[in-house]
Amino acid sequence: MFPYPEQYRIALPPLTTGFMVIWAILSHTIFADASPFALYPLFLLFIVVMGAHLYLIIMSKGMQRLDQCFYALVHIPLAFVVWTFTIMHVNGHAFS
């Protein structure tokens, strides 16, 4: 069906992180500060990133499992930083 299904699976976590940023920018312009409609998808998206990495680790075979572990070790902290800043962006001036 897809010409390169493995590349699509590997690209899922960074694409989810990118969607997190796009969602934060768009939802901040549409909804009020600290809107639950803008915040709850962000909470879910970080769980999706971690779940996608876990899926990639489980589905890998042999030494590729070590590659996927390193990929998760690098990407999850970076995604956490992006996730934190998207939550701060969506909250706006709600905390001050």
Side-chain angles (χ1 to χ4, degrees), residues 47-68:
I47 295 170
V48 168
V49 168
M50 291 191 303
H53 278 296
L54 185 64
Y55 171 75
L56 287 173
I57 291 169
I58 291 172
M59 296 306 291
S60 296
K61 297 179 182 98
M63 288 301 288
Q64 285 183 348
R65 186 167 290 172
L66 183 63
D67 294 339
Q68 293 301 327

